[in-house]
Amino acid sequence: MTRREALKKMGAVAAGIGLGIGGVHAADVLGLSNKEKPMKAVAINGSARRDGNTADMLNLVLGELEKEGCEAEHIQLAGHTIAPCKACFACAGKGNCVFGDDMFQELYRKMTEADAIILGSPTYSADVSSMLKAVIDRASVVSDTNPGMFRHKVGGAVAVARRAGAMNVIDTINRFFLNKEMYVAGSTYWNIAYGRLPGEAINDAEAVANMKNLGQNIAWLLSRLK
């Protein structure tokens, strides 16, 4: 499918949402939650190291959300391979990527079902990890060809760095959120922790406070959106 054909199909999907026809329901596509159900948050950890510094920081954020009754899930990409986007646009009108040979389809489903999405990454070459970038690229194309799937969800960015480049990580993640019509939660300072070896970042007292505050701010936004 060419980009022109994909955009044409996108228009048909958007029209279906507006009219409530064609088997497409606005609540399904927009990811709106039932007010009687607990809010859900999913954290995606782009680190190649399982249970490392990035995991510690994400767990701090999720811990605050769980205190407020939010269902929280932490997905670590370590040990998995996420293929890059093929830019085929075959996902137009389907609501998910058509390729199921890795974990992306299940990951994307969890993202669309969640009310809050927290993306975390160590700093690799002054940006997000290649695995998280693949998730962002593929999620961007699927949501672009199926409009509104992330609209009005809450997003939070978390970065870990040895020394420098972490602001680029935050920027890459936040651009994804903003381009998908999401609300971006912040903290008292940048959501960045410093550490090299696993377990070092938890000793960054300012980072720990910022991550907890980020979780509290996400919970506050979710309470207003419920």
Side-chain angles (χ1 to χ4, degrees), residues 74-118:
H74 185 170
I75 302 172
Q76 304 196 59
L77 302 184
H80 297 276
T81 299
I82 307 293
C85 181
K86 301 179 186 299
C88 63
F89 302 105
C91 53
K94 294 184 173 62
N96 206 329
C97 182
V98 298
F99 297 100
D101 50 356
D102 58 20
M103 69 181 294
F104 178 79
Q105 284 185 346
E106 178 67 10
L107 192 64
Y108 188 81
R109 183 184 64 78
K110 289 177 179 292
M111 292 171 71
T112 59
E113 291 177 351
D115 301 290
I117 302 169
I118 303 99

Side-chain angles (χ1 to χ4, degrees), residues 25 27 43 46 57 61 63 67 127 170 176:
H25 301 284
M57 296 301 105
V61 178
K67 289 178 183 178
D127 213 327
I170 297 293
F176 168 73

Side-chain angles (χ1 to χ4, degrees), residues 51-61 160-161 192-209 211-212:
D51 299 324
N53 289 315
T54 306
D56 287 342
M57 296 301 105
L58 289 173
N59 285 335
L60 290 170
V61 178
V160 176
I192 296 169
Y194 290 93
R196 182 172 66 91
L197 297 177
E200 287 186 352
I202 202 72
N203 296 318
D204 182 346
E206 184 177 13
V208 169
M211 298 305 165
K212 289 182 177 181

Side-chain angles (χ1 to χ4, degrees), residues 5-186:
E5 291 169 337
L7 291 171
K8 184 176 180 180
K9 191 167 187 178
M10 284 168 55
V13 172
I17 294 172
L19 297 173
I21 60 174
V24 180
H25 301 284
D28 295 334
V29 177
L30 299 182
L32 299 178
S33 60
N34 187 322
K35 290 186 178 182
E36 295 181 356
K37 294 181 179 179
M39 302 296 264
K40 294 182 179 180
V42 61
I44 300 174
N45 181 350
S47 177
R49 289 178 173 175
R50 187 174 182 83
D51 299 324
N53 289 315
T54 306
D56 287 342
M57 296 301 105
L58 289 173
N59 285 335
L60 290 170
V61 178
L62 294 178
E64 296 302 311
L65 287 163
E66 289 176 328
K67 289 178 183 178
E68 299 299 324
C70 186
E71 291 184 1
E73 183 176 6
H74 185 170
I75 302 172
Q76 304 196 59
L77 302 184
H80 297 276
T81 299
I82 307 293
C85 181
K86 301 179 186 299
C88 63
F89 302 105
C91 53
K94 294 184 173 62
N96 206 329
C97 182
V98 298
F99 297 100
D101 50 356
D102 58 20
M103 69 181 294
F104 178 79
Q105 284 185 346
E106 178 67 10
L107 192 64
Y108 188 81
R109 183 184 64 78
K110 289 177 179 292
M111 292 171 71
T112 59
E113 291 177 351
D115 301 290
I117 302 169
I118 303 99
L119 299 183
S121 178
T123 304
Y124 294 164
S125 300
D127 213 327
V128 297
S129 68
S130 59
M131 285 192 294
L132 187 60
K133 187 60 166 66
V135 171
I136 289 173
D137 287 347
R138 288 175 70 176
S140 292
V141 171
V142 176
S143 59
D144 284 347
T145 57
N146 300 271
M149 298 191 77
F150 293 110
R151 183 179 297 152
H152 299 167
K153 295 182 185 296
V154 178
V158 169
V160 176
R162 181 189 68 84
R163 187 173 182 85
M167 281 303 303
N168 293 338
V169 174
I170 297 293
D171 189 42
T172 293
I173 295 172
N174 282 344
R175 284 200 305 265
F176 168 73
F177 293 150
L178 292 169
N179 285 335
K180 306 308 163 196
E181 303 179 90
M182 294 175 61
Y183 300 114
V184 177

